Amino acid sequence: MFDLIREISQTIKNNKLRTILTGIAVAWGIFMLIVLLGAARGVVNSYEEESSSSSVNSIRLWSGTTSMPYKGYKDGRWVRLKDNDMEAISGEVSAVSDVAISTSASGFNIVGPKDYISGGFEAVYPDEARTQRIFDIKGRFVNQKDINDLRRVIVISSDNAALLFGDADKALGQEVKAMDLSWMVVGVYTHRWRKSSFVPYTTYKAITGGDGYVDQMTVRVEGIATDTEAEETESQVRSVLARRHEFDPADSNAVWVWNQFASYLKQGQAMVYLNLAVWVIGILTLLTGIVGVSNIMFVSVRERVHEIGIRRAIGAKPNSIIIQILAESIAITALFGYIGLVAGMGVLQVLDSLLGDSQGFSNPTVDISIAVQVTVALIVAGAIAGLFPAIKATKVKPVEALRDE
């Protein structure tokens, strides 16, 4: 083993420039592979975080304007969703597990002991926390008992809490004024950019004597697993609303729909293709380095014909020649490959510090499993690079090698 290591070291020293130039190609291939894998992982991580922090098994709907005439109605008619659409959708579409609604109430201030905020609040159902991706919360969100008992409670952002009370930690359990009424703060949440305030929908409707029109409806579905089933459920929901509001079910503008489950399935497939594409591009880039290593090993074999001939003449077996050539090839590939690996991981750390918190890009680093996969790729690449030169070396005949010398 020590003799083999010494021989490999001596070969590299005798061909420094050629080895370095070839090694750069290998290092670049591994560097690009790591950076591409890390960047793809950042996109996938962001996608998975978005998926886990939101209810992907849902269909969201907004009021729209008809684009087709229907039963004597002209196009251009405004179709407004109502809160009693909830019962109709829940009762008629079998895949629906729950329906939640929300509406915006603006035009007034929320007043605290230190200051006030404008813009009103959103009147919601409990499931809105998941829809709005509000999970980092002190206290609680609007719950079902608030809905049933028409409680005057409010959930505010930490930024608004600090403005209203001087200190966000002092807001919980305190009261604010809105619509000339007192509301108890039961939750203070932290979000990257959202600052809306939330109250129970039923409380707001009772206070205002509202007409039941809502801005948004979220339909939760269950028991479906394919894109086709998701689209069929969307079609059924649209048909229920079309019958209730008298518009053509084929009119996609009458009610705006975002089928999150269908989008989730399509994005999941896109992530699979993204990973595959990254590996293909990375491997192709690495192949340039493999070709370079293979070439240098062919040259090395040609230059060492006399040496190989002598070894064969004194009884060296072909396997020992193959092992030596393969070992040299793997050593060169591994040495410069790990230089590229370390450089690539360093670049990913820089990207993580600069872009790690950006929307659509999260933790663009490679884990131990990727490192293991790249290590295996390096070994295989080195073996492939040295295989053909090694086979050629075993075909050297001692007599002819000595005669050439």
Side-chain angles (χ1 to χ4, degrees):
M1 175 61 70
F2 291 106
D3 290 338
L4 180 60
I5 294 174
R6 186 168 58 252
E7 289 177 3
I8 293 172
S9 176
Q10 187 63 40
T11 301
I12 293 175
K13 287 180 181 179
N14 292 338
N15 300 278
K16 290 181 181 179
L17 180 59
R18 190 167 59 201
T19 301
I20 290 173
L21 293 176
T22 304
I24 289 174
V26 176
W28 178 253
I30 291 297
F31 173 80
M32 289 301 299
L33 177 60
I34 290 297
V35 171
L36 287 171
L37 287 174
R41 175 51 53 186
V43 175
V44 172
N45 286 342
S46 176
Y47 161 72
E48 290 176 346
E49 288 173 5
E50 290 290 323
S51 299
S52 63
S53 64
S54 63
S55 181
V56 297
N57 61 327
S58 63
I59 300 172
R60 298 176 69 177
L61 307 102
W62 295 267
S63 299
T65 304
T66 60
S67 59
M68 301 178 182
Y70 185 72
K71 290 186 176 180
Y73 292 106
K74 295 182 178 180
D75 58 352
R77 180 169 53 93
W78 190 19
V79 176
R80 300 182 64 188
L81 299 175
K82 299 197 69 173
D83 52 15
N84 56 16
D85 291 330
M86 296 171 59
E87 292 81 9
I89 293 174
S90 296
E92 298 183 37
V93 183
S94 59
V96 171
S97 61
D98 184 34
V99 182
I101 54 177
S102 66
T103 193
S104 297
S106 58
F108 56 86
N109 298 327
I110 299 175
V111 183
K114 297 290 186 180
D115 209 333
Y116 72 93
I117 55 176
S118 59
F121 48 64
E122 293 184 36
V124 301
Y125 272 68
D127 206 39
E128 193 68 15
R130 183 166 49 176
T131 300
Q132 302 277 13
R133 304 186 182 107
I134 296 174
F135 298 100
D136 184 5
I137 183 169
K138 293 181 180 179
R140 63 176 179 83
F141 198 72
V142 173
N143 61 27
Q144 192 59 44
K145 194 166 180 59
D146 297 331
I147 296 293
N148 297 339
D149 296 346
L150 309 182
R151 291 173 171 175
R152 291 201 306 273
V153 296
I154 189 170
V155 178
I156 59 178
S157 71
S158 57
D159 290 341
N160 286 339
L163 185 64
L164 293 174
F165 295 94
D167 185 348
D169 294 333
K170 296 180 180 179
L172 208 60
Q174 302 300 311
E175 291 189 345
V176 295
K177 290 280 188 178
M179 303 176 70
D180 295 325
L181 296 169
S182 295
W183 302 75
M184 178 179 289
V185 178
V186 295
V188 177
Y189 70 91
T190 301
H191 194 275
R192 187 183 304 171
W193 52 269
R194 194 178 301 282
K195 295 184 179 180
S196 302
S197 302
F198 303 94
V199 304
Y201 173 81
T202 51
T203 306
Y204 170 72
K205 183 179 179 181
I207 292 173
T208 60
D211 50 17
Y213 290 113
V214 298
D215 295 332
Q216 178 180 297
M217 184 175 297
T218 303
V219 178
R220 310 292 174 193
V221 296
E222 61 182 16
I224 61 177
T226 66
D227 189 34
T228 301
E229 292 175 337
E231 292 178 355
E232 176 61 27
T233 301
E234 175 187 333
S235 178
Q236 292 175 9
V237 170
R238 190 184 293 276
S239 295
V240 172
L241 293 174
R243 188 183 68 255
R244 290 177 57 81
H245 295 275
E246 296 186 297
F247 64 85
D248 192 325
D251 189 352
S252 59
N253 290 326
V255 175
W256 293 97
V257 178
W258 177 24
N259 194 330
Q260 287 183 267
F261 186 73
S263 299
Y264 168 73
L265 292 176
K266 292 175 181 177
Q267 289 173 353
Q269 293 174 350
M271 293 303 103
V272 173
Y273 293 138
L274 174 62
N275 271 324
L276 179 61
V278 165
W279 271 105
V280 170
I281 294 173
I283 294 298
L284 290 176
T285 305
L286 182 58
L287 280 176
T288 61
I290 294 175
V291 171
V293 174
S294 184
N295 286 336
I296 194 175
M297 295 313 300
F298 270 117
V299 173
S300 178
V301 168
R302 183 72 185 92
E303 291 179 346
R304 294 159 63 190
V305 167
H306 183 63
E307 173 195 334
I308 295 172
I310 293 175
R311 292 185 61 184
R312 291 294 307 277
I314 62 177
K317 296 181 178 180
N319 287 344
S320 66
I321 304 297
I322 291 177
I323 290 173
Q324 180 183 352
I325 302 300
L326 288 180
E328 291 179 12
S329 176
I330 292 173
I332 293 173
T333 306
L335 174 62
F336 288 96
Y338 274 107
I339 292 174
L341 176 64
V342 172
M345 295 182 71
V347 169
L348 290 178
Q349 290 296 330
V350 174
L351 287 176
D352 187 29
S353 63
L354 295 176
L355 304 173
D357 295 329
S358 301
Q359 189 172 5
F361 203 68
S362 175
N363 189 25
T365 56
V366 295
D367 55 23
I368 187 65
S369 64
I370 297 296
V372 170
Q373 293 173 25
V374 172
T375 301
V376 172
L378 280 173
I379 295 173
V380 173
I384 293 173
L387 179 61
F388 295 106
I391 293 174
K392 181 179 180 180
T394 61
K395 295 180 179 179
V396 174
K397 296 180 180 180
V399 175
E400 295 179 0
L402 294 175
R403 183 184 303 120
D404 288 342
E405 182 65 18

